[in-house]
Amino acid sequence: MFRRNNIASRIFQRQIYTPAPGTSVYCARRFYENLVPSCTIYDVECPDQSFRKFTDDGQYLISFSRNQQDLVVYRPTWLSFSCKEEDCDAHDLPPKAKRFESFFTHLYSVSLASCNGNELICKDFFLYVESNQYGIIATSTPSIHDAAANGAAIQGVPYVEKLTFHLIRLEDGVILDVKVFHNDFVNLTHNMGVFLYDDLLAIASLRNQTIHILQIRDSGNLVDVRAIGAFCREDDELFLNSNAQCIAFPDKSKLHQLPGNNVQNGTHLSQPNQEDSLLSGIKQRLLSFIFQGISNEEKDPALRAQWLKKKFYFRFQDYVDLIIWKVQFLDRQHLLIKFGSVDGGVSRNADQHTAFLAVYNMETTEIVAFYQNSAEELYLLFERFCDHFHTASKNSVSMNFVSSHSNNIHALEQIRSVKSKASSQFMKKMLGSLPYSCQSLSPSPYFDQSLFRFDEKLISASDRPRQSTDHPIKFILRRQPCSLKFKIKLGPEAGNADGRTKKIASFLFHPFLPLALSIQQTLFLQQPSVVNIHFRG
Amino acid sequence: MGSMLGDWPSCDPHNFSKLRRADPSIPSRMMPATYHRTHSRTLPPPDQVITTEAKNILLRHIYRSAEEENDLRPKRAATKHLIPEHGCKQPRATSY
């Protein structure tokens, strides 16, 4: 379809044409082809802080102090200065405009981590509740590795003495509520261990193998909803404890049953204090689902026992040893849970370990589906319905329009071309991103694949830092005339003297303003980071 | 009751003269017959309520494949039930 490039013509055209049904957001976004952050202020003098992200509604810039004890919140504003002369375009910005404070107004700083308690803010973790403008920040004591297992804890997983989640009203910095975990471990790097969906928060405790579901009330309270792990329903523990009191001696005949024979979900008797007690909670649900699935594969009842022996009992201990790695919501009732071995749970190269994905219904406490992380069936669901894995809150308008291979033809063509070259490894790699981490993608229109083409190895909507490059990162118009619209360059034209120092770069794009921050850090050296501001001049 | 088209302006008033009925009491053969249904197969059930499906499409697919496995049907290749119902739909090369 022919579209004019000139912004004035586009505005006139907008007065006449209504967009096709369901495309009003995409049509409005096309104006971002004309409004691009083409000017850069290099190495802006700014407070030495660790800038985390813009909130998804664009109201706040969240950063943490360098000592990781304070939360500092800014309001993104815009330049305002006037030029009284006739030919203003030829003038550069005045020096006073090229400051951090011209773009960001400091709102407040809140101290979250106490100095004497050796707690620090986890600077990789931040979640935003858009409906109420609440932020969730975590502070923790240092993690202790090689910890011995005790009680329900898993050996091999580190733990922290105290982990606190703070619910903060970002409007004024008031701490509304806290949730504290003791002697536990939650993987907080890039929001991995916590998932926010609407007002529900799922926290995956790796050490105690429990998924804590909390609700964020409008009043600002964090309310426990349920804890899935050793128990599935809210009253399971009460039921088991009351039964344990009634039964004076254990029923020995029941102890000889293998746990896998408990195909009736939800009906079992176990003595919780015995060492060789039956498996309970989500582990029991999982194993009985696997048992049923394998049993159904063999139609002939006479051969079924042999089939089960080969496929289930032979690997029984491996199934029992599976632990919860990661969790996300698929909707308010369903969780997507990743199970794997203890080694893979905390390692960086989790892709190399075998893992399984299970869909769990919290209301019926049943496992609905179980896949290996290289299953083709799961990959096809992922390819077609990727947006339903990126469960965005209904309240968040911007997050529902992030480009993915399920809603964008260019992204789909890209992954299909990669898939055609190396199918099975590619499927496993793509499924390795499941379950997704919450709020890890930027909703900025400059990452819309229908508008711009850019090198995804150098920059993308994901907020993970990448290896820095001296070359400018080009954003090229997707449609004709496929011209270069703007560049993001991390350093001034002269380049850097020391080309061998490894640097990483991270990019923070404002959700709707043509404003971005690029932050370059030198690894292994204590140099302060270099911050550049990219904006529409 | 006047004729259906007899009173409308026309370049030639005789064009629709055949439709003009002098005697309104004579039943007109031009009137289409009213349809009377002879069966009740297509009636909706009296207690039918139409609502939005609570589960999203991803979960519907997951539940459907789980039900098919539980029905003990012969195992089919994973791709079969994932073919879109409207097989003619192809992604457009240009968006909107």
Side-chain angles (χ1 to χ4, degrees):
Chain A
M1 180 190 144
F2 173 71
R3 288 203 292 266
R4 298 182 175 88
N5 286 330
N6 182 284
I7 191 169
S9 323
R10 282 180 142 176
I11 292 173
F12 293 141
Q13 199 165 22
R14 187 174 65 173
Q15 290 176 320
I16 306 166
Y17 292 115
T18 45
T23 64
S24 52
V25 171
Y26 293 107
C27 287
R29 266 191 178 183
R30 285 189 217 135
F31 281 99
Y32 284 96
E33 291 176 348
N34 298 86
L35 304 168
V36 293
S38 47
C39 297
T40 305
I41 305 174
Y42 293 104
D43 201 2
V44 162
E45 206 173 295
C46 63
D48 185 24
Q49 287 162 5
S50 159
F51 297 103
R52 178 67 180 86
K53 72 181 291 188
F54 287 101
T55 53
D56 290 336
D57 57 5
Q59 294 293 317
Y60 306 101
L61 172 67
I62 305 295
S63 70
F64 303 118
S65 59
R66 191 55 70 185
N67 61 5
Q68 287 178 248
Q69 287 178 348
D70 299 330
L71 164 71
V72 186
V73 176
Y74 296 92
R75 170 87 66 193
T77 55
W78 200 253
L79 286 182
S80 57
F81 75 100
S82 60
C83 177
K84 290 179 194 167
E85 299 176 31
E86 285 194 1
D87 182 17
C88 295
D89 287 344
H91 288 271
D92 276 340
L93 280 177
K96 64 178 181 184
K98 292 183 184 177
R99 292 182 306 145
F100 184 79
E101 290 75 22
S102 303
F103 291 91
F104 300 99
T105 310
H106 177 249
L107 290 180
Y108 55 82
S109 300
V110 177
S111 177
L112 291 177
S114 53
C115 309
N116 49 2
N118 76 339
E119 283 180 45
L120 293 176
I121 295 177
C122 307
K123 63 183 174 73
D124 285 334
F125 177 80
F126 174 75
L127 289 177
Y128 185 59
V129 185
E130 196 171 329
S131 51
N132 301 47
Q133 294 193 350
Y134 295 158
I136 304 173
I137 290 129
T139 57
S140 83
T141 53
S143 60
I144 300 165
H145 295 261
D146 298 329
N150 55 341
I154 300 288
Q155 185 139 18
V157 175
Y159 80 98
V160 297
E161 278 182 15
K162 186 180 177 197
L163 171 65
T164 312
F165 290 97
H166 305 259
L167 182 71
I168 296 176
R169 187 170 56 209
L170 288 180
E171 202 179 349
D172 49 14
V174 170
I175 301 174
L176 297 169
D177 204 353
V178 293
K179 173 76 181 166
V180 183
F181 293 88
H182 291 283
N183 300 327
D184 209 334
F185 184 77
V186 179
N187 193 346
L188 293 172
T189 320
H190 298 291
N191 301 348
M192 275 176 69
V194 184
F195 200 93
L196 176 70
Y197 176 66
D198 272 351
D199 59 344
L200 293 178
L201 200 62
I203 301 173
S205 153
L206 290 187
R207 180 146 175 94
N208 294 319
Q209 284 296 294
T210 306
I211 302 165
H212 297 273
I213 308 289
L214 283 76
Q215 188 180 24
I216 301 168
R217 310 286 297 174
D218 287 339
S219 56
N221 294 320
L222 286 169
V223 176
D224 289 325
V225 174
R226 48 168 63 101
I228 301 163
F231 307 104
C232 290
R233 293 188 200 274
E234 293 89 349
D235 54 355
D236 276 353
E237 192 173 4
L238 175 65
F239 176 79
L240 291 173
N241 285 342
S242 60
N243 273 355
Q245 286 168 11
C246 292
I247 298 170
F249 298 101
D251 185 351
K252 288 210 164 39
S253 64
K254 283 208 171 2
L255 287 177
H256 291 299
Q257 278 181 8
L258 284 165
N261 281 333
N262 253 336
V263 294
Q264 277 278 349
N265 279 349
T267 58
H268 63 276
L269 285 175
S270 72
Q271 288 71 44
N273 294 325
Q274 285 195 329
E275 275 192 15
D276 53 346
S277 61
L278 300 177
L279 293 169
S280 67
I282 196 164
K283 192 60 74 68
Q284 183 271 334
R285 299 288 193 276
L286 181 67
L287 262 70
S288 41
F289 182 85
I290 298 171
F291 176 86
Q292 266 184 322
I294 293 173
S295 175
N296 288 342
E297 283 174 9
E298 179 51 65
K299 309 293 173 288
D300 185 353
L303 300 173
R304 199 168 283 158
Q306 194 63 25
W307 182 249
L308 279 168
K309 206 185 283 185
K310 182 177 152 192
K311 291 279 179 180
F312 182 73
Y313 295 116
F314 185 67
R315 298 178 200 164
F316 180 74
Q317 197 55 45
D318 294 332
Y319 286 131
V320 171
D321 290 340
L322 286 175
I323 63 163
I324 299 170
W325 279 5
K326 204 174 170 189
V327 161
Q328 71 158 94
F329 281 101
L330 291 178
D331 69 359
R332 288 184 80 90
Q333 284 90 36
H334 295 87
L335 294 174
L336 180 70
I337 306 172
K338 190 169 193 176
F339 289 93
S341 61
V342 178
D343 303 326
V346 287
S347 88
R348 282 177 171 270
N349 296 325
D351 292 344
Q352 295 170 11
H353 296 87
T354 306
F356 301 92
L357 287 154
V359 178
Y360 175 74
N361 185 330
M362 292 196 292
E363 298 299 324
T364 62
T365 71
E366 285 178 2
I367 299 275
V368 177
F370 184 74
Y371 306 98
Q372 195 165 353
N373 65 340
S374 52
E376 190 182 351
E377 186 181 346
L378 181 62
Y379 175 77
L380 289 169
L381 286 175
F382 174 73
E383 195 180 86
R384 282 185 73 198
F385 306 119
C386 173
D387 292 341
H388 292 279
F389 285 102
H390 276 295
T391 35
S393 161
K394 289 185 289 292
N395 300 321
S396 174
V397 175
S398 55
M399 293 312 293
N400 286 309
F401 294 95
V402 176
S403 278
S404 73
H405 54 261
S406 297
N407 64 31
N408 191 283
I409 187 71
H410 305 286
L412 180 63
E413 280 169 1
Q414 204 169 0
I415 65 158
R416 280 198 172 154
S417 69
V418 178
K419 184 189 168 192
S420 59
K421 291 171 200 165
S423 181
S424 61
Q425 282 305 314
F426 174 75
M427 281 199 295
K428 193 172 175 185
K429 187 179 168 215
M430 292 302 285
L431 291 176
S433 58
L434 288 179
Y436 277 122
S437 299
C438 183
Q439 296 184 7
S440 57
L441 296 179
S442 167
S444 171
Y446 299 107
F447 294 121
D448 188 335
Q449 301 259 14
S450 306
L451 300 178
F452 297 101
R453 186 163 55 87
F454 45 88
D455 187 347
E456 293 230 17
K457 291 190 203 66
L458 298 177
I459 197 170
S460 77
S462 166
D463 61 2
R464 284 184 180 256
R466 286 146 203 284
Q467 191 143 9
S468 174
T469 170
D470 287 334
H471 302 288
I473 303 168
K474 296 180 186 172
F475 282 73
I476 297 166
L477 203 59
R478 184 62 83 167
R479 58 176 186 89
Q480 294 297 331
C482 302
S483 52
L484 171 69
K485 290 308 286 187
F486 68 100
K487 294 187 278 196
I488 300 281
K489 192 161 163 49
L490 293 164
E493 297 298 329
N496 293 309
D498 187 359
R500 276 178 287 180
T501 320
K502 196 171 176 190
K503 293 181 189 161
I504 56 166
S506 52
F507 303 94
L508 305 180
F509 273 71
H510 193 276
F512 53 84
L513 291 175
L515 172 68
L517 291 179
S518 60
I519 301 149
Q520 197 176 39
Q521 284 165 303
T522 314
L523 288 178
F524 313 123
L525 289 175
Q526 295 303 320
Q527 288 175 8
S529 43
V530 171
V531 176
N532 309 313
I533 299 181
H534 310 270
F535 65 104
R536 180 178 179 262
Chain B
M1 169 167 136
S3 69
M4 280 193 295
L5 300 164
D7 291 324
W8 289 15
S10 169
C11 59
D12 183 356
H14 298 293
N15 274 345
F16 301 107
S17 58
K18 287 184 184 172
L19 293 175
R20 191 180 287 274
R21 290 194 309 279
D23 186 359
S25 63
I26 300 171
S28 168
R29 283 176 220 157
M30 300 294 293
M31 201 68 116
T34 308
Y35 171 71
H36 294 282
R37 61 178 166 82
T38 55
H39 62 86
S40 59
R41 288 194 302 269
T42 51
L43 273 181
D47 56 348
Q48 177 180 270
V49 174
I50 299 176
T51 56
T52 307
E53 168 79 47
K55 289 199 283 270
N56 62 44
I57 192 169
L58 168 67
L59 286 166
R60 280 208 296 275
H61 270 103
I62 291 173
Y63 271 91
R64 200 196 307 168
S65 59
E67 277 163 17
E68 284 170 1
E69 282 181 22
N70 283 342
D71 283 348
L72 302 179
R73 283 184 208 162
K75 269 200 109 155
R76 302 180 293 176
T79 50
K80 270 200 179 177
H81 68 273
L82 291 171
I83 290 172
E85 290 92 1
H86 308 285
C88 55
K89 271 193 177 172
Q90 296 293 330
R92 285 188 294 170
T94 54
S95 50
Y96 38 93

